[in-house]
Amino acid sequence: MRQQTRDRLLLPVLLPIGILAAIALALWGFSRILLGIEGAAATAVALVVAAAIVLVASLAAARPQVRGSTIGAMVGATAGIAMLAGGIALAVVSGGEEGPGPEPGPEGPVVSLVAVNIAFDPTSLTVPAGEPFTIAFDNQDAGVQHNVDIFDNQELSGTAAFEGELITGVAQIDYAVGPLEPGPYFFRCVVHPNMVGEMEAAEGGGGEPGGGGGPGGGGEPGAAVVAQNLAFDTATIDLPADAPSKLPLDNRDAGVPHNISIYADESLSETLFEGELITGPAEIVYDIPPLPAGEYYFHCDVHPNMNGAVIVDAAGGGPASTDATGATGATPG
């Protein structure tokens, strides 16, 4: 009597709950298999398992009497087919795919260009002629789109020699620009036509491979010396002899103060120029007084491990060179 009462009262409640729990576990387990493989393989596995469910259910329904053991065998067979199909897909389809390779580094010499306050800085660039180079573009206008397009005419008409991808600030991108013939070029932002600049493709122009270009001579600022990750992107700064010059600094270390000061040598006994500290992200152009020809020492006064050599010669200054890593100050200060 008690057995019959239990069967009448408990089984109608426990049986649906048990079936729903089994279905939920099967769905969860099967979803782990599908999420672990790529799209085409997941579709194939799902179709195979669906066909297996129909086949196994048909075989079970064809039996004269369906027992609990029959249902258990049906579930076990379906789960086994799902695991087998998923394993084959992982081994054959997904296993043959190669993961993404390393991110490519900058191509050729590197020049730095900043977009800030809806304007380019600097508005004049010198790049190498006849070889690929990279524009390290830093969009500092939060929430504003900028890019760099290069033209061979001042009217900025016709087909662009280069069209840069739009990025929304605050963000950076490295533009890989193909070789340009020697001569004058002009660049703009496609979103803000008032943002324009001049570019000169010259033999030996621009920065060194893997690092930012140094300031040019003649009183006009060249590509900025970049301070990032507690390191300068150049180990050498070239300046003209016996003439004032401009030295741009681009501090990209958020919340960190940097500067550039020039000394007679590493003893710091004689200060030739002391640059104003700026807290990143920020930029500044230093006015360097005339210096006699020779080799001097520069560093960041806050992080002396960020240092290098200043080469002052009568050639009028040129691009900075980099060390083997493209940066100085390997040990954070």
Side-chain angles (χ1 to χ4, degrees), residues 95-126:
E97 296 183 350
E98 294 183 359
E103 290 292 327
E107 181 178 2
V110 179
V111 293
S112 299
L113 182 64
V114 177
V116 59
N117 297 326
I118 317 298
F120 285 125
D121 183 23
T123 57
S124 179
L125 293 175
T126 301

Side-chain angles (χ1 to χ4, degrees), residues 15 112 147 206 331:
L15 190 59
S112 299
N147 82 325
T331 304

Side-chain angles (χ1 to χ4, degrees), residues 1-332:
M1 187 65 179
R2 291 181 179 178
Q3 179 69 30
Q4 293 177 352
T5 302
R6 184 179 63 184
D7 291 344
R8 286 198 304 268
L9 296 178
L10 296 181
L11 286 182
V13 176
L14 295 179
L15 190 59
I17 294 176
I19 292 174
L20 290 175
I23 293 174
L25 288 173
L27 290 175
W28 183 85
F30 190 45
S31 68
R32 300 306 95 187
I33 295 175
L34 296 181
L35 290 174
I37 53 182
E38 57 94 24
T43 301
V45 171
L47 291 175
V48 169
V49 173
I53 292 174
V54 173
L55 177 61
V56 173
S58 299
L59 294 175
R63 297 176 64 86
Q65 186 176 5
V66 179
R67 303 173 181 272
S69 58
T70 304
I71 296 176
M74 172 182 166
V75 173
T78 303
I81 293 172
M83 294 178 63
L84 179 62
I88 293 174
L90 285 171
V92 177
V93 180
S94 299
E97 296 183 350
E98 294 183 359
E103 290 292 327
E107 181 178 2
V110 179
V111 293
S112 299
L113 182 64
V114 177
V116 59
N117 297 326
I118 317 298
F120 285 125
D121 183 23
T123 57
S124 179
L125 293 175
T126 301
V127 300
E131 63 175 303
F133 63 94
T134 295
I135 298 177
F137 184 51
D138 182 5
N139 180 359
Q140 297 183 3
D141 286 333
V144 180
Q145 285 189 316
H146 291 309
N147 82 325
V148 178
D149 288 348
I150 302 174
F151 293 83
D152 60 3
N153 61 88
Q154 193 168 6
E155 291 74 26
L156 305 173
S157 60
T159 302
F162 172 79
E163 295 181 357
E165 175 187 349
L166 280 167
I167 60 171
T168 302
V170 176
Q172 294 84 37
I173 188 172
D174 286 340
Y175 291 131
V177 184
L180 297 177
E181 294 294 325
Y185 293 84
F186 304 86
F187 59 92
R188 73 171 184 195
C189 169
V190 70
V191 181
H192 306 93
N194 61 295
M195 296 177 59
V196 295
E198 300 178 354
M199 178 181 294
E200 180 72 21
E203 296 293 338
E208 291 294 316
E220 288 297 324
V225 175
V226 177
Q228 189 170 22
N229 298 326
L230 299 182
F232 288 128
D233 71 337
T234 179
T236 305
I237 295 174
D238 292 342
L239 296 177
D242 303 315
S245 58
K246 294 184 180 294
L247 176 59
L249 172 64
D250 180 4
N251 180 359
R252 299 182 183 178
D253 285 335
V256 180
H258 291 308
N259 78 331
I260 294 176
S261 291
I262 302 174
Y263 299 88
D265 52 44
E266 295 185 35
S267 69
L268 313 182
S269 58
E270 182 182 357
T271 302
L272 304 178
F273 172 79
E274 184 175 349
E276 176 186 348
L277 283 167
I278 57 171
T279 300
E283 294 180 80
I284 191 172
V285 177
Y286 295 127
D287 291 310
I288 309 298
L291 297 174
E295 182 173 337
Y296 304 97
Y297 173 81
F298 78 92
H299 76 191
C300 169
D301 288 326
V302 182
H303 308 93
N305 60 287
M306 299 170 59
N307 57 64
V310 178
I311 307 299
V312 180
D313 57 42
S321 63
T322 57
D323 59 13
T325 64
T328 62
T331 304

